[in-house]
Coordinates of all heavy atoms in Angstrom, one line a residue:
M1 N 21.7 8.2 28.3 CA 22.7 7.9 27.3 C 22.0 7.0 26.2 O 21.1 6.2 26.6 CB 23.9 7.3 28.0 CG 24.4 6.0 27.5 SD 25.9 5.6 28.4 CE 25.1 4.5 29.7
A2 N 22.4 7.2 25.0 CA 21.8 6.4 23.9 C 22.9 6.1 22.8 O 23.9 6.8 22.8 CB 20.6 7.2 23.4
L3 N 22.6 5.1 22.0 CA 23.4 4.9 20.9 C 23.2 6.0 19.9 O 22.1 6.4 19.6 CB 23.0 3.6 20.2 CG 22.7 2.4 21.1 CD1 22.4 1.1 20.3 CD2 23.9 2.2 22.0
C4 N 24.3 6.6 19.5 CA 24.2 7.9 18.8 C 24.4 7.7 17.3 O 25.4 7.1 16.8 CB 25.3 8.9 19.3 SG 25.2 10.4 18.4
P5 N 23.4 8.2 16.5 CA 23.4 8.0 15.0 C 24.5 8.9 14.4 O 24.9 8.7 13.2 CB 22.0 8.4 14.6 CG 21.5 9.3 15.7 CD 22.1 8.8 16.9
G6 N 25.1 9.8 15.2 CA 26.2 10.6 14.7 C 27.4 9.7 14.3 O 28.1 10.0 13.4
N7 N 27.6 8.7 15.1 CA 28.5 7.6 14.8 C 29.9 8.0 14.6 O 30.6 7.4 13.8 CB 28.0 6.8 13.6 CG 28.3 5.3 13.7 OD1 28.5 4.8 14.8 ND2 28.5 4.7 12.6
C8 N 30.3 9.1 15.3 CA 31.7 9.5 15.1 C 32.7 8.4 15.6 O 32.5 7.8 16.6 CB 31.9 10.8 16.0 SG 30.8 12.1 15.5
S9 N 33.7 8.2 14.8 CA 34.6 7.1 15.1 C 35.4 7.2 16.4 O 35.8 6.2 17.0 CB 35.5 6.8 13.9 OG 36.3 8.0 13.7
F10 N 35.6 8.4 16.8 CA 36.4 8.7 18.1 C 35.6 8.6 19.3 O 36.1 8.6 20.4 CB 37.1 10.0 18.0 CG 36.1 11.2 17.9 CD1 35.4 11.7 19.0 CD2 35.8 11.7 16.6 CE1 34.5 12.7 18.9 CE2 34.9 12.7 16.5 CZ 34.3 13.2 17.6
C11 N 34.2 8.4 19.2 CA 33.3 8.6 20.3 C 32.8 7.2 20.8 O 32.3 6.4 19.9 CB 32.2 9.5 20.0 SG 31.0 9.7 21.3
A12 N 32.8 7.0 22.0 CA 32.3 5.7 22.6 C 30.8 5.5 22.4 O 30.3 4.4 22.7 CB 32.7 5.7 24.1
F13 N 30.1 6.5 22.0 CA 28.6 6.4 21.9 C 28.1 6.1 20.5 O 26.9 5.9 20.3 CB 27.9 7.6 22.5 CG 28.2 7.9 23.9 CD1 29.1 8.9 24.3 CD2 27.5 7.1 24.9 CE1 29.3 9.1 25.7 CE2 27.8 7.3 26.2 CZ 28.7 8.3 26.6
G14 N 29.0 6.1 19.5 CA 28.6 5.8 18.1 C 27.9 4.5 18.0 O 28.4 3.5 18.5
K15 N 26.8 4.5 17.4 CA 25.9 3.3 17.4 C 26.5 2.1 16.8 O 26.1 1.0 17.1 CB 24.5 3.6 16.8 CG 24.6 3.8 15.3 CD 23.2 4.0 14.7 CE 23.3 4.2 13.2 NZ 22.0 4.3 12.6
N16 N 27.4 2.3 15.8 CA 27.9 1.1 15.1 C 29.1 0.4 15.9 O 29.5 -0.6 15.5 CB 28.3 1.5 13.7 CG 27.2 1.7 12.8 OD1 26.0 1.4 13.2 ND2 27.4 2.3 11.6
H17 N 29.6 1.1 16.9 CA 30.7 0.5 17.6 C 30.7 0.6 19.1 O 31.6 0.2 19.8 CB 32.0 1.2 17.1 CG 32.0 2.7 17.2 ND1 31.6 3.5 16.2 CD2 32.4 3.5 18.3 CE1 31.7 4.7 16.7 NE2 32.2 4.7 17.9
T18 N 29.5 1.0 19.7 CA 29.5 1.1 21.1 C 29.0 -0.2 21.7 O 28.4 -1.1 21.1 CB 28.5 2.2 21.5 OG1 28.6 2.4 22.9 CG2 27.0 1.8 21.2
H19 N 29.4 -0.3 23.0 CA 28.9 -1.4 23.8 C 27.9 -1.0 24.9 O 27.4 -1.8 25.7 CB 30.1 -2.2 24.5 CG 31.0 -2.7 23.5 ND1 30.7 -3.8 22.7 CD2 32.3 -2.4 23.1 CE1 31.7 -4.1 21.9 NE2 32.7 -3.2 22.1
F20 N 27.6 0.4 24.9 CA 26.6 0.9 25.8 C 25.2 0.5 25.4 O 25.0 0.2 24.3 CB 26.7 2.4 25.9 CG 27.9 3.0 26.5 CD1 28.8 3.8 25.8 CD2 28.3 2.7 27.8 CE1 29.9 4.3 26.4 CE2 29.4 3.2 28.4 CZ 30.3 4.0 27.7
Q21 N 24.3 0.5 26.4 CA 22.9 0.3 26.1 C 22.2 1.6 26.5 O 22.6 2.3 27.4 CB 22.4 -0.9 26.9 CG 23.0 -2.2 26.5 CD 22.4 -3.4 27.1 OE1 21.5 -3.3 28.0 NE2 22.8 -4.6 26.8
N22 N 21.1 1.9 25.9 CA 20.3 3.1 26.2 C 20.0 3.1 27.7 O 19.6 2.0 28.3 CB 19.0 3.1 25.4 CG 19.3 3.4 24.0 OD1 20.4 3.5 23.5 ND2 18.2 3.5 23.2
N23 N 20.1 4.2 28.3 CA 19.8 4.4 29.7 C 19.5 5.8 30.1 O 20.1 6.7 29.5 CB 21.1 3.9 30.5 CG 20.8 4.0 32.0 OD1 19.8 3.7 32.5 ND2 21.8 4.4 32.8
R24 N 18.6 6.0 31.0 CA 18.4 7.4 31.4 C 18.2 7.3 33.0 O 17.4 6.6 33.5 CB 17.1 8.0 30.8 CG 16.7 9.4 31.4 CD 15.5 10.0 30.8 NE 15.9 10.5 29.5 CZ 15.0 11.1 28.6 NH1 13.7 11.1 28.9 NH2 15.4 11.5 27.5
I25 N 18.9 8.2 33.7 CA 18.8 8.2 35.1 C 17.5 9.0 35.4 O 17.0 9.8 34.6 CB 20.0 8.8 35.8 CG1 20.2 10.3 35.4 CG2 21.2 8.0 35.6 CD1 21.4 11.0 36.1
S26 N 17.0 8.8 36.6 CA 15.8 9.5 37.1 C 16.1 11.0 37.3 O 17.3 11.4 37.5 CB 15.2 8.9 38.3 OG 16.1 9.2 39.4
E27 N 15.1 11.8 37.3 CA 15.3 13.3 37.6 C 15.9 13.4 39.0 O 16.8 14.3 39.2 CB 14.0 14.0 37.5 CG 13.6 14.1 36.0 CD 12.3 14.8 35.9 OE1 12.0 15.8 36.7 OE2 11.5 14.5 34.9
N28 N 15.4 12.6 40.0 CA 16.0 12.7 41.4 C 17.4 12.3 41.4 O 18.3 12.9 42.1 CB 15.2 11.9 42.3 CG 13.8 12.5 42.7 OD1 13.7 13.7 42.5 ND2 12.9 11.7 43.1
E29 N 17.8 11.3 40.6 CA 19.2 10.9 40.6 C 20.1 11.9 40.0 O 21.2 12.2 40.4 CB 19.3 9.5 39.8 CG 20.6 8.9 40.0 CD 20.7 7.5 39.3 OE1 19.6 7.1 38.7 OE2 21.7 6.9 39.3
F30 N 19.5 12.6 38.9 CA 20.3 13.6 38.3 C 20.5 14.8 39.3 O 21.7 15.3 39.4 CB 19.5 14.2 37.1 CG 20.2 15.3 36.4 CD1 21.2 15.1 35.5 CD2 19.7 16.6 36.6 CE1 21.8 16.2 34.9 CE2 20.3 17.7 36.0 CZ 21.3 17.5 35.1
I31 N 19.5 15.2 40.0 CA 19.6 16.3 41.0 C 20.7 15.9 42.0 O 21.5 16.7 42.4 CB 18.3 16.6 41.6 CG1 17.4 17.3 40.5 CG2 18.4 17.5 42.8 CD1 16.0 17.5 40.8
T32 N 20.6 14.7 42.5 CA 21.5 14.2 43.5 C 23.0 14.2 43.0 O 23.9 14.7 43.7 CB 21.2 12.8 44.0 OG1 19.9 12.8 44.5 CG2 22.2 12.2 45.0
K33 N 23.2 13.8 41.8 CA 24.5 13.8 41.2 C 25.1 15.2 41.1 O 26.2 15.5 41.4 CB 24.5 13.1 39.9 CG 24.4 11.6 40.0 CD 24.4 10.9 38.6 CE 24.3 9.4 38.7 NZ 25.5 8.8 39.3
V34 N 24.3 16.1 40.5 CA 24.7 17.5 40.3 C 25.0 18.2 41.7 O 26.0 18.8 41.9 CB 23.7 18.3 39.5 CG1 24.1 19.8 39.4 CG2 23.7 17.7 38.1
T35 N 24.1 17.9 42.6 CA 24.3 18.5 44.0 C 25.6 18.0 44.6 O 26.3 18.7 45.2 CB 23.0 18.1 44.9 OG1 21.9 18.6 44.2 CG2 23.2 18.7 46.3
D36 N 25.8 16.7 44.4 CA 27.1 16.1 45.0 C 28.3 16.8 44.3 O 29.3 17.1 45.0 CB 27.1 14.6 44.8 CG 26.2 13.9 45.7 OD1 25.8 14.5 46.7 OD2 26.0 12.7 45.5
F37 N 28.3 17.0 43.0 CA 29.4 17.7 42.3 C 29.6 19.1 42.9 O 30.7 19.5 43.0 CB 29.1 17.8 40.8 CG 29.4 16.5 40.0 CD1 28.5 16.0 39.2 CD2 30.7 16.0 40.1 CE1 28.8 14.8 38.5 CE2 31.0 14.8 39.4 CZ 30.0 14.3 38.5
C38 N 28.5 19.7 43.3 CA 28.6 21.2 43.6 C 28.7 21.4 45.1 O 28.9 22.6 45.5 CB 27.4 21.9 43.1 SG 27.3 21.8 41.3
K39 N 28.6 20.4 45.9 CA 28.4 20.7 47.4 C 29.6 21.3 48.1 O 29.4 21.9 49.1 CB 28.0 19.4 48.1 CG 29.0 18.3 48.1 CD 28.5 17.0 48.7 CE 29.6 16.0 48.7 NZ 29.0 14.7 49.1
E40 N 30.8 21.1 47.5 CA 31.9 21.7 48.2 C 32.1 23.2 47.9 O 33.0 23.8 48.5 CB 33.2 20.9 47.8 CG 33.2 19.4 48.1 CD 33.0 19.1 49.6 OE1 33.5 19.9 50.4 OE2 32.4 18.0 49.9
G41 N 31.4 23.7 46.9 CA 31.4 25.1 46.6 C 32.7 25.5 45.8 O 32.9 26.7 45.7
D42 N 33.5 24.6 45.4 CA 34.7 25.0 44.6 C 34.7 24.5 43.2 O 35.7 24.5 42.5 CB 35.9 24.4 45.3 CG 35.9 22.9 45.4 OD1 34.8 22.3 45.1 OD2 36.9 22.3 45.9
L43 N 33.5 24.2 42.7 CA 33.4 23.7 41.3 C 33.4 25.0 40.4 O 32.6 25.9 40.5 CB 32.1 23.0 41.1 CG 31.9 22.3 39.8 CD1 32.9 21.1 39.6 CD2 30.5 21.7 39.7
Y44 N 34.3 25.0 39.4 CA 34.4 26.1 38.5 C 33.3 26.0 37.4 O 32.7 27.0 37.1 CB 35.8 26.1 37.8 CG 35.9 27.1 36.7 CD1 36.0 28.4 37.0 CD2 35.8 26.7 35.4 CE1 36.1 29.3 36.0 CE2 35.9 27.6 34.4 CZ 36.1 28.9 34.6 OH 36.2 29.8 33.6
G45 N 33.0 24.8 36.9 CA 32.0 24.7 35.8 C 31.5 23.3 35.8 O 32.3 22.3 36.1
L46 N 30.3 23.1 35.4 CA 29.8 21.7 35.2 C 29.2 21.7 33.8 O 28.2 22.4 33.5 CB 28.7 21.4 36.3 CG 28.1 20.1 36.2 CD1 29.1 19.0 36.4 CD2 27.0 20.0 37.3
Y47 N 29.8 20.9 33.0 CA 29.3 20.8 31.6 C 28.4 19.6 31.4 O 28.8 18.5 31.7 CB 30.5 20.8 30.6 CG 31.4 22.0 30.8 CD1 32.5 22.0 31.7 CD2 31.2 23.1 30.0 CE1 33.3 23.1 31.8 CE2 32.0 24.2 30.2 CZ 33.0 24.2 31.1 OH 33.8 25.3 31.2
L48 N 27.3 19.8 30.9 CA 26.3 18.8 30.6 C 26.2 18.6 29.1 O 26.0 19.5 28.4 CB 24.9 19.1 31.2 CG 24.9 19.3 32.7 CD1 23.5 19.8 33.1 CD2 25.3 18.0 33.4
M49 N 26.5 17.4 28.6 CA 26.5 17.1 27.2 C 25.4 16.1 26.9 O 25.0 15.3 27.7 CB 27.9 16.6 26.8 CG 29.0 17.6 27.1 SD 30.6 16.9 26.9 CE 30.6 16.3 25.2
A50 N 24.9 16.2 25.6 CA 23.9 15.3 25.2 C 24.3 14.7 23.9 O 25.2 15.1 23.2 CB 22.6 16.0 25.1
M51 N 23.5 13.7 23.5 CA 23.8 13.0 22.3 C 23.4 13.8 21.1 O 22.7 14.8 21.2 CB 23.0 11.7 22.3 CG 23.0 10.9 23.5 SD 24.7 10.6 24.2 CE 25.4 9.5 23.0
H52 N 23.8 13.3 19.9 CA 23.5 14.0 18.6 C 22.0 14.3 18.5 O 21.6 15.4 18.1 CB 24.0 13.0 17.5 CG 23.7 13.5 16.1 ND1 24.3 14.6 15.6 CD2 22.9 12.9 15.2 CE1 23.9 14.7 14.3 NE2 23.1 13.7 14.1
E53 N 21.2 13.3 18.8 CA 19.8 13.5 18.8 C 19.3 13.3 20.3 O 19.6 12.3 20.9 CB 19.0 12.4 17.9 CG 19.4 12.6 16.5 CD 18.7 11.5 15.6 OE1 18.2 10.5 16.2 OE2 18.6 11.7 14.4
Y54 N 18.6 14.3 20.8 CA 18.2 14.2 22.2 C 16.9 15.0 22.3 O 16.6 15.9 21.6 CB 19.3 14.8 23.1 CG 19.2 14.5 24.5 CD1 19.6 13.2 25.0 CD2 18.6 15.3 25.4 CE1 19.4 12.8 26.3 CE2 18.4 15.0 26.8 CZ 18.8 13.7 27.2 OH 18.7 13.3 28.5
D55 N 16.2 14.6 23.4 CA 14.9 15.3 23.7 C 15.2 16.6 24.3 O 15.5 16.7 25.5 CB 14.1 14.4 24.6 CG 12.8 15.0 25.0 OD1 12.5 16.2 24.7 OD2 12.0 14.3 25.5
L56 N 15.3 17.7 23.5 CA 15.7 19.0 23.9 C 14.7 19.5 25.0 O 15.2 20.2 25.9 CB 15.8 20.0 22.8 CG 16.3 21.4 23.1 CD1 17.7 21.3 23.7 CD2 16.3 22.2 21.8
D57 N 13.5 19.3 24.9 CA 12.5 19.8 25.9 C 12.8 19.2 27.3 O 12.8 19.8 28.3 CB 11.1 19.4 25.5 CG 10.6 20.3 24.3 OD1 11.2 21.4 24.1 OD2 9.7 19.8 23.6
F58 N 13.1 17.8 27.3 CA 13.5 17.2 28.5 C 14.8 17.8 29.1 O 14.9 18.1 30.3 CB 13.6 15.7 28.3 CG 14.1 15.0 29.5 CD1 13.3 14.6 30.5 CD2 15.5 14.6 29.6 CE1 13.7 14.0 31.7 CE2 15.9 14.0 30.8 CZ 15.1 13.7 31.8
Y59 N 15.7 18.0 28.2 CA 17.0 18.5 28.6 C 16.9 19.9 29.3 O 17.4 20.1 30.4 CB 17.9 18.6 27.4 CG 19.3 19.0 27.6 CD1 20.3 18.1 28.0 CD2 19.7 20.3 27.4 CE1 21.6 18.5 28.2 CE2 21.0 20.7 27.6 CZ 22.0 19.8 28.0 OH 23.2 20.2 28.2
L60 N 16.1 20.8 28.6 CA 15.9 22.1 29.2 C 15.1 22.1 30.5 O 15.4 22.8 31.4 CB 15.2 23.0 28.1 CG 16.1 23.3 26.9 CD1 15.3 24.0 25.9 CD2 17.4 24.0 27.2
K61 N 14.2 21.2 30.5 CA 13.3 21.1 31.8 C 14.2 20.7 32.9 O 14.1 21.3 34.0 CB 12.2 20.0 31.5 CG 11.4 19.7 32.7 CD 10.4 18.6 32.4 CE 10.3 17.7 33.7 NZ 9.7 16.5 33.4
I62 N 15.1 19.7 32.8 CA 15.9 19.2 33.9 C 16.9 20.2 34.3 O 17.3 20.4 35.4 CB 16.4 17.8 33.6 CG1 16.8 17.1 34.9 CG2 17.6 17.8 32.7 CD1 16.9 15.6 34.8
I63 N 17.4 20.9 33.3 CA 18.4 22.0 33.6 C 17.7 23.1 34.4 O 18.3 23.6 35.4 CB 19.0 22.6 32.3 CG1 19.8 21.5 31.6 CG2 19.9 23.8 32.7 CD1 21.0 20.9 32.3
R64 N 16.5 23.5 34.0 CA 15.8 24.5 34.8 C 15.6 24.1 36.2 O 15.7 24.8 37.2 CB 14.5 24.9 34.1 CG 14.7 25.7 32.8 CD 13.3 26.1 32.3 NE 13.6 26.7 30.9 CZ 13.2 26.1 29.8 NH1 12.6 24.9 29.8 NH2 13.5 26.6 28.7
Q65 N 15.2 22.8 36.4 CA 15.0 22.3 37.7 C 16.3 22.3 38.5 O 16.2 22.8 39.7 CB 14.5 20.8 37.6 CG 13.1 20.6 37.2 CD 12.7 19.2 37.1 OE1 13.6 18.3 37.0 NE2 11.5 18.9 37.2
Q66 N 17.4 22.0 37.9 CA 18.6 21.9 38.7 C 19.1 23.3 39.1 O 19.6 23.5 40.1 CB 19.7 21.3 37.8 CG 21.0 21.1 38.6 CD 20.8 20.2 39.8 OE1 20.3 19.1 39.7 NE2 21.2 20.7 41.0
K67 N 18.8 24.3 38.2 CA 19.2 25.7 38.5 C 18.5 26.2 39.8 O 19.0 27.2 40.4 CB 19.0 26.6 37.3 CG 20.0 26.3 36.2 CD 19.8 27.2 35.0 CE 20.1 28.6 35.3 NZ 20.0 29.5 34.1
K68 N 17.4 25.7 40.1 CA 16.6 26.1 41.3 C 17.3 25.7 42.6 O 17.1 26.3 43.6 CB 15.2 25.5 41.3 CG 14.4 26.1 40.2 CD 13.0 25.5 40.2 CE 12.2 25.9 39.0 NZ 10.9 25.1 38.9
W69 N 18.2 24.7 42.5 CA 18.8 24.1 43.7 C 19.9 24.9 44.2 O 20.7 25.4 43.6 CB 19.2 22.7 43.5 CG 18.0 21.8 43.5 CD1 17.1 21.6 42.4 CD2 17.5 21.0 44.5 NE1 16.1 20.8 42.7 CE2 16.3 20.3 44.0 CE3 17.9 20.7 45.8 CZ2 15.5 19.5 44.8 CZ3 17.1 19.8 46.6 CH2 15.9 19.2 46.0
Ligands
SF4_101 S1 27.7 11.8 20.8 FE1 28.6 13.4 19.6 S2 30.7 12.8 19.2 FE2 29.6 11.0 19.9 S3 28.9 9.9 18.1 FE3 27.3 11.3 18.7 S4 27.6 13.2 17.5 FE4 29.5 12.0 17.5

């Protein structure tokens, strides 16, 4: 998560009004979280969203890793 330069007034991540601080979970933590969401087998969809500006290569890499599980 990061302060977003998109700065939409309705969004908690807008850089001019957010109280969040930049943070990124580890790849292992990400895999654990997604696995926990999916472990009951009844999840219809899992939507992953990213900030206005995001490292697309990292995003695609971690999604590919998760799809292997
Ligand atoms: S994350 Fe999306 S909705 Fe939020 S401020 Fe950025 S561009 Fe706007």
Side-chain angles (χ1 to χ4, degrees):
M1 131 175 93
L3 313 186
C4 181
N7 211 29
C8 301
S9 60
F10 59 85
C11 179
F13 296 104
K15 71 176 182 178
N16 288 350
H17 54 269
T18 190
H19 298 290
F20 291 120
Q21 296 185 357
N22 290 3
N23 182 38
R24 176 178 281 177
I25 62 174
S26 71
E27 292 180 28
N28 284 340
E29 193 175 358
F30 177 80
I31 290 168
T32 298
K33 286 179 180 292
V34 173
T35 301
D36 284 348
F37 277 127
C38 300
K39 68 183 177 189
E40 302 299 331
D42 59 353
L43 187 67
Y44 173 74
L46 181 61
Y47 299 91
L48 302 174
M49 299 169 59
M51 315 309 291
H52 177 67
E53 293 178 346
Y54 197 78
D55 181 348
L56 185 58
D57 290 335
F58 175 80
Y59 185 81
L60 293 174
K61 176 184 142 196
I62 202 162
I63 297 300
R64 285 187 191 107
Q65 284 178 337
Q66 186 60 54
K67 286 178 73 176
K68 292 178 186 172
W69 288 78

